[in-house]
Amino acid sequence: MKPEIKNLTLPELEAALKELGEPKFRAKQVYTWLHRGVGDFSEMTNLSLSLREKLSERWLLTCPVPVRKLISESDGTIKYLWRLWDGNCVETVLMRYHHGNTVCISSEVGCPMGCAFCASTIGGLVRRLSAGEMLDEVVFTQKDSGLEISNIVLMGIGEPLDNYDSVLRFLELVNSPEGVNIGMRHISLSTCGVVPRVLELAQRGLQLTLSVSLHAPDDETRSRIMPVNRRWNVETLLDACCAYFQATGRRISFEYAMIRNVNDTEDAARLLIRRLHGLPAHVNLIPLNHVEESPLEPSDRQTVRRFQQQLEQAGIPCTVRRTLGSDIDASCGQLRRKYRVEHNA
Ligand code: SAH
């Protein structure tokens, strides 16, 4: 297998091309092509034919193919199911907000974490994505839609902190001024709570937003719906969140999927308030998206509203996430799941 050229940072590409006897500016030309989403080395028309051949002998240039593209009639959300070079599929969602276009990308094919409410984890982890493949999700979504992307959320299929090295490399790529140039403050990374990695990330001091999928304030409930909690419990996770805040100065965003009679009671809200005391946080309530394979049901609107008010009255900023693209199965892993069922894969 040839290495993927899009995994390389600009300085690495410069070093590699130097070995081929090419001047430094050549690397920048190649890098620009890559980050603009060329489908093949032959499209790099400002390079000599012999250099294009040398590049393709040495490196793999990945180019995902959209096997499904769904556009929501109600809000313009676009969902892509991409087929990767090895036949595996991942999803990317483009959401259109007033403050700009946000792309939600996958970090793995499948997911090893086993959360009870999530479609992405059915079937487990198939493989991790490379940094270049994550970059492809951004670049090809931008290219195909013709819409400029200003924000990235790592909230698609997979657990980003289970693919830590590639995710960090992806952040470097996507952040580079010669590429799509998206600032760290415009990037959110969501985790189910892989505590050692949260602590490592804190040490990097990056300005990205850490989103933590909390979903329950007590260990009994959380361990039931999120197996990761049996390894690192709520207290350990919240301690890591404090450390993240102290190292970066960034407020933590907590995701909380409202599940009927599981985590939506007044007692649960009270405990959540107590646990978040003193930690600069923002809570995002997400009405659960029902997944066919799961018995869990969403809370009703009134319950969500009451929960939100309880948090707000305690001084915790709390929003109910608008569901975008629900007419196109836009939430995590549903499209890939459906496609696999239909194709018996
Ligand atoms: N593995 C990471 C990234 C996934 S992000 C994480 O767990 O954070 C996707 C977000 O959607 C997570 O907060 C996840 O818990 C949530 N989610 C998954 N399935 C859901 C569903 N059926 N309804 C509502 N939220 C869901």
Side-chain angles (χ1 to χ4, degrees):
M1 256 290 292
K2 288 183 276 191
E4 293 170 36
I5 192 164
K6 264 181 242 173
N7 284 342
L8 301 181
T9 61
L10 183 56
E12 287 168 347
L13 193 60
E14 280 167 359
L17 289 196
K18 198 172 166 196
E19 268 179 41
L20 296 179
E22 294 292 333
K24 203 170 170 182
F25 74 89
R26 200 70 81 204
K28 203 163 164 184
Q29 288 177 322
V30 175
Y31 193 82
T32 308
W33 281 117
L34 295 173
H35 287 239
R36 243 192 262 152
V38 283
D40 193 81
F41 288 109
S42 62
E43 291 173 34
M44 300 182 175
T45 45
N46 57 356
L47 308 184
S48 69
L49 192 59
S50 79
L51 178 59
R52 285 183 250 165
E53 276 166 4
K54 268 193 238 168
L55 294 176
S56 79
E57 274 163 25
R58 225 177 147 118
W59 283 291
L60 175 71
L61 193 145
T62 52
C63 176
V65 180
V67 287
R68 286 267 198 292
K69 177 183 177 182
L70 303 175
I71 305 175
S72 165
E73 286 183 12
S74 49
D75 54 47
T77 298
I78 307 177
K79 179 149 191 169
Y80 294 94
L81 184 70
W82 304 106
R83 191 170 51 233
L84 308 174
W85 61 272
D86 64 351
N88 276 305
C89 291
V90 289
E91 297 171 23
T92 306
V93 186
L94 177 67
M95 294 161 293
R96 309 180 64 176
Y97 294 108
H98 305 298
H99 59 268
N101 298 316
T102 297
V103 70
C104 172
I105 70 154
S106 298
S107 54
E108 299 183 311
V109 180
C111 181
M113 305 312 298
C115 298
F117 44 80
C118 183
S120 301
T121 198
I122 301 168
L125 175 71
V126 178
R127 72 169 174 87
R128 299 181 172 116
L129 295 186
S130 65
E133 288 176 312
M134 288 181 258
L135 177 70
D136 279 343
E137 293 183 66
V138 178
V139 165
F140 283 91
T141 296
Q142 192 157 255
K143 188 179 175 189
D144 183 274
S145 67
L147 296 167
E148 196 179 328
I149 288 161
S150 47
N151 302 281
I152 298 176
V153 297
L154 282 137
M155 291 191 184
I157 299 172
E159 168 52 49
L161 297 187
D162 179 59
N163 189 11
Y164 187 77
D165 294 338
S166 294
V167 164
L168 277 190
R169 180 171 276 271
F170 160 72
L171 293 174
E172 194 178 336
L173 293 175
V174 91
N175 191 224
S176 79
E178 300 82 4
V180 275
N181 194 16
I182 294 180
M184 284 294 170
R185 284 173 177 265
H186 296 268
I187 303 177
S188 294
L189 183 152
S190 182
T191 178
C192 65
V194 183
V195 165
R197 297 301 201 195
V198 171
L199 295 172
E200 257 184 271
L201 193 63
Q203 291 317 310
R204 298 262 173 165
L206 300 176
Q207 286 299 295
L208 55 87
T209 302
L210 183 68
S211 265
V212 173
S213 300
L214 191 59
H215 303 322
D218 63 289
D219 285 322
E220 199 199 321
T221 312
R222 194 164 190 271
S223 291
R224 195 145 42 89
I225 55 177
M226 300 181 72
V228 67
N229 196 71
R230 295 172 208 156
R231 185 99 183 261
W232 297 289
N233 66 16
V234 175
E235 192 184 344
T236 316
L237 176 57
L238 293 178
D239 284 349
C241 291
C242 277
Y244 188 89
F245 173 73
Q246 277 161 4
T248 63
R250 303 285 290 164
R251 181 172 81 154
I252 311 289
S253 166
F254 289 98
E255 289 155 277
Y256 198 102
M258 298 286 292
I259 311 173
R260 185 186 298 166
N261 297 333
V262 173
N263 62 2
D264 63 353
T265 60
E266 287 182 34
D267 278 350
R270 266 193 291 274
L271 183 56
L272 181 60
I273 291 163
R274 226 181 318 136
R275 294 224 118 154
L276 295 185
H277 183 77
L279 177 65
H282 176 267
V283 176
N284 236 313
L285 298 177
I286 317 160
L288 184 82
N289 259 295
H290 181 70
V291 171
E292 246 169 61
E293 290 84 348
S294 155
L296 302 172
E297 297 284 343
S299 309
D300 57 54
R301 269 179 146 189
Q302 256 174 317
T303 308
V304 177
R305 184 85 193 105
R306 191 211 62 229
F307 201 95
Q308 183 194 20
Q309 280 167 348
Q310 237 179 305
L311 263 69
E312 277 180 340
Q313 274 160 17
I316 300 175
C318 176
T319 45
V320 178
R321 186 177 296 171
R322 208 154 52 98
T323 35
L324 290 179
S326 48
D327 55 332
I328 54 167
D329 285 332
S331 72
C332 230
Q334 293 187 1
L335 188 60
R336 170 171 173 266
R337 177 84 196 128
K338 212 180 244 181
Y339 185 80
R340 291 176 87 205
V341 169
E342 284 166 14
H343 291 75
N344 251 331

